[in-house]
Amino acid sequence: MSNRRQLITYLFLILLGIIMIYPLLFLFSASFKSNEEIFSSISLLPKELASVTFEAFRNGWQGVGKYGFSTFFTNSFLITVPVVIVTIISSSCVAYGFARFKFPYKKLLFTLMISTIMLPSTIIMIPSYILFKNFGWLNTYMPFWIPALLGSDAYFIFMFLQFFRSIPRELDESAIIDGCNRLKIFTKIILPLSKPAIISAGIFKFIWTWNSFVEPLIYINSVSKYTVALGLKMSIDTQGGEVMWNEMMAMSCLAIIPPAIIFFVAQKYFVEGISTSGLKG
């Protein structure tokens, strides 16, 4: 590649990178601007740098009314962390069954499971609501925990299945000769080798659950149990005439910190897990 063509490629990539990261930088810079400046200027720097303070973060953290964002962040972790853990456990168990065991109607059951990936979430929303209402689970976190525990997410089952298929069966056979049963093979051999897939599934599930808005909106009606996403929406609705957008931007910046930290800490395993399992996007 000639130097000129290489230079053009680098300039194009730099420009593309700036375009992609600009909304995130604007989100952060808007935390230090007034409402008028947020909607009148696309500059990343406030007009009066000397007046820049963290007041929007302090005021935004207090929330509106009785509950602040300390409560909303705690609630988001109470939902997200258990959901991630049980999703990894249940999905890996189901995937191991499909990957290593032979049983009647295996292909039919696998086809039915995969077909659920194609179902739009809006189709199962009303039946799920009625079911959870009959169980008495509304306004609790059970609608999030129990389905995850039962391996309801076919996407992660398929992801684990693809990874397990890349592990040689000879390892299982050697372990059986050494006296291991299926449970020991799964916990002592398969799962330790599946660390990239486990971390990838964990990152995906954490980000999706943390950012979820519709499901918490449907199943939770007490402000004391609101997540961060619902807390942000409530702050807009209850501020009356003028919405303090700099406070909303400040809390939005804080809301993306936990998923960002988890992603960058586990980035190495995430890329490896995605490439090995053959799942992208």
Side-chain angles (χ1 to χ4, degrees), residues 172-185:
D172 298 38
E173 296 170 357
S174 300
I176 292 174
I177 294 174
D178 290 338
C180 289
N181 55 30
R182 287 292 183 181
L183 180 61
K184 282 189 176 180
I185 293 173

Side-chain angles (χ1 to χ4, degrees), residues 22-219:
Y22 175 79
L24 183 61
L25 296 177
F26 184 82
L27 176 71
F28 180 72
S29 67
S31 304
F32 305 97
K33 298 179 180 178
S34 62
N35 280 358
E36 294 76 15
E37 191 176 352
I38 290 175
F39 294 104
S40 62
S41 172
I42 61 173
S43 173
L44 295 178
L45 294 177
K47 291 181 180 177
E48 299 180 3
L49 291 176
S51 62
V52 171
T53 64
F54 288 91
E55 185 178 359
F57 287 87
R58 287 195 297 270
N59 295 337
W61 186 261
Q62 295 174 0
V64 178
K66 187 177 179 182
Y67 300 99
F69 274 84
S70 58
T71 300
F72 302 146
F73 271 85
T74 301
N75 294 337
S76 290
F77 279 110
L78 286 176
I79 291 178
T80 305
V81 174
V83 165
V84 171
I85 294 174
V86 298
T87 295
I88 291 174
I89 295 174
S90 60
S91 299
S92 60
C93 288
V94 176
Y96 181 64
F98 279 115
R100 289 294 196 263
F101 289 89
K102 294 181 179 178
F103 49 88
Y105 308 111
K106 177 180 175 180
K107 290 184 178 179
L108 176 62
L109 294 173
F110 181 75
T111 302
L112 291 175
M113 182 202 70
I114 291 298
S115 64
T116 60
I117 297 178
M118 311 299 174
L119 284 176
S121 59
T122 50
I123 292 180
I124 62 174
M125 192 175 294
I126 294 177
S128 298
Y129 179 85
I130 295 173
L131 184 67
F132 296 146
K133 181 181 179 182
N134 292 333
F135 287 161
W137 291 354
L138 295 183
N139 202 29
T140 70
Y141 297 150
M142 300 295 278
F144 306 94
W145 295 339
I146 300 302
L149 179 63
L150 299 177
S152 62
D153 206 322
Y155 178 84
F156 294 115
I157 294 174
F158 183 67
M159 183 177 182
F160 277 108
L161 179 62
Q162 291 292 92
F163 196 91
F164 292 162
R165 283 174 174 170
S166 67
I167 300 175
R169 286 179 177 270
E170 286 76 9
L171 289 176
D172 298 38
E173 296 170 357
S174 300
I176 292 174
I177 294 174
D178 290 338
C180 289
N181 55 30
R182 287 292 183 181
L183 180 61
K184 282 189 176 180
I185 293 173
F186 179 58
T187 56
K188 302 294 183 182
I189 297 176
I190 301 297
L191 285 183
L193 292 174
S194 305
K195 189 183 296 183
I198 292 173
I199 293 176
S200 300
I203 292 175
F204 273 129
K205 193 62 179 178
F206 186 94
I207 294 175
W208 293 347
T209 308
W210 183 270
N211 294 330
S212 177
F213 175 76
V214 175
E215 290 187 346
L217 181 65
I218 294 173
Y219 301 132

Side-chain angles (χ1 to χ4, degrees), residues 218-272:
I218 294 173
Y219 301 132
I220 298 175
N221 51 46
S222 297
V223 178
S224 62
K225 297 178 181 178
Y226 271 16
T227 61
V228 174
L230 295 183
L232 289 171
K233 181 64 171 64
M234 187 190 73
S235 297
I236 296 177
D237 294 339
T238 57
Q239 284 190 358
E242 184 180 14
V243 177
M244 300 305 295
W245 289 105
N246 57 349
E247 296 178 8
M248 296 298 301
M249 300 293 183
M251 292 303 99
S252 298
C253 289
L254 297 182
I256 64 177
I257 289 178
I261 291 176
I262 290 178
F263 175 78
F264 285 112
V265 168
Q267 185 180 14
K268 173 186 173 184
Y269 294 102
F270 176 74
V271 174
E272 184 179 351

